[in-house]
Amino acid sequence: MDTRPITHHDFAAILALNDESVQYLSPLSPTGLESLCKQSPFHLVIESDGEILGFIITLAQGADYDSVNYQWFAQRYEQFLYVDRIVVSKGAQAKGAGSAMYREVFAFAHDQGFAVIACEFDVDPPNPGSARFHSRFGFREVARQLVANGKKAVSLQVVSPPHPAAFAQHRCPICGGPNSCSAAALGTTEVACWCRAEQFSAELLALVPTDLKRVACICRSCAQADFRLPASVNATGDEP
């Protein structure tokens, strides 16, 4: 999977993906998408073999945007990077696309000096997948509010972006959650760690982005979920 900035040629695919998950998002028109992209300091699509699997659009403080959720943050934070929407196609979910995009957002926020990354997700009706995903990245709830004329409730969340290198070493390169790696926690490989005894299939390791191979360990949850092929390689990608 590869990421790159959004272009006009991507608009049709992005609008289709937005419609696919519109129950968790706000509707998006071509004009609205163009306005968001013009104001966005950082936006991406993620694709594989020419097919767009997902996208992410962010906004910073000072944007001309009437979203009640964006306005909530704008009234309380002088500086922030707001994730307006992150979408992954249903067929590509749980394969690391969302985590790959968030890693780039976190790196951008750190490099640009943003103190806070902000977002929201539905809690009534619930969106447990988004709740789990954002929890893995360290987001915490700061408030809740009703939207859509009281028909929905959202959880307003923030996180401070860590240094990208520290973030990478302590996070699973597949799901983005904590990997509980003792070597990363203590800053030395001369320690015992659960991952040393684990074996992972080549299929699972193929999901690890190239820049994170031999950098970050896969977490136990992803290891236990890997039943597709017999064990063949270990957590860091080395032959046993």
Side-chain angles (χ1 to χ4, degrees):
M1 292 183 288
D2 300 304
T3 59
R4 59 172 175 77
I6 294 171
T7 72
H8 277 88
H9 298 293
D10 304 319
F11 277 20
I14 288 172
L15 292 171
L17 286 173
N18 198 88
D19 286 345
E20 184 180 68
S21 298
V22 73
Q23 70 269 30
Y24 300 121
L25 307 164
S26 57
L28 189 60
S29 67
T31 302
L33 175 57
E34 184 166 9
S35 176
L36 286 175
C37 288
K38 284 182 177 179
Q39 297 188 79
S40 173
F42 189 83
H43 50 69
L44 288 175
V45 292
I46 187 164
E47 60 185 355
S48 178
D49 296 326
E51 178 186 0
I52 293 177
L53 306 178
F55 70 94
I56 191 167
I57 300 175
T58 69
L59 294 170
Q61 66 281 351
D64 180 16
Y65 191 37
D66 61 1
S67 159
V68 295
N69 296 317
Y70 173 83
Q71 290 298 327
W72 191 94
F73 291 110
Q75 292 165 11
R76 292 164 175 83
Y77 294 87
E78 292 185 3
Q79 186 200 49
F80 62 96
L81 185 66
Y82 172 71
V83 179
D84 180 64
R85 60 196 73 210
I86 175 172
V87 180
V88 176
S89 69
K90 292 180 179 179
Q93 291 177 3
K95 296 181 179 178
S99 295
M101 290 190 288
Y102 252 14
R103 281 193 294 270
E104 296 206 30
V105 167
F106 271 58
F108 173 82
H110 179 273
D111 291 345
Q112 298 300 312
F114 286 100
V116 167
I117 300 173
C119 73
E120 84 282 337
F121 53 78
D122 291 355
V123 289
D124 186 15
N127 186 352
S130 186
R132 290 191 299 269
F133 176 75
H134 286 90
S135 176
R136 290 199 301 267
F137 279 87
F139 281 88
R140 60 182 176 85
E141 183 175 275
V142 289
R144 292 189 178 192
Q145 70 176 358
L146 295 174
V147 297
N149 296 318
K151 296 178 181 177
K152 295 170 62 174
V154 299
S155 173
L156 299 149
Q157 305 246 333
V158 298
V159 66
S160 298
H163 189 281
F167 179 80
Q169 292 173 356
H170 293 275
R171 298 281 174 168
C172 173
I174 295 175
C175 72
N179 58 17
S180 301
C181 179
S182 297
L186 299 176
T188 176
T189 58
E190 301 301 318
V191 293
C193 184
W194 70 269
C195 62
R196 300 288 181 94
E198 291 291 330
Q199 299 289 316
F200 300 95
S201 72
E203 278 192 341
L204 185 67
L205 285 174
L207 299 176
V208 178
T210 301
D211 62 331
L212 292 178
K213 291 183 184 296
R214 301 176 184 270
V215 173
C217 287
I218 295 168
C219 71
R220 194 185 298 269
S221 294
C222 287
Q224 292 175 344
D226 180 33
F227 301 117
R228 291 163 295 180
L229 288 176
S232 57
V233 287
N234 62 28
T236 57
D238 299 323
E239 295 294 330

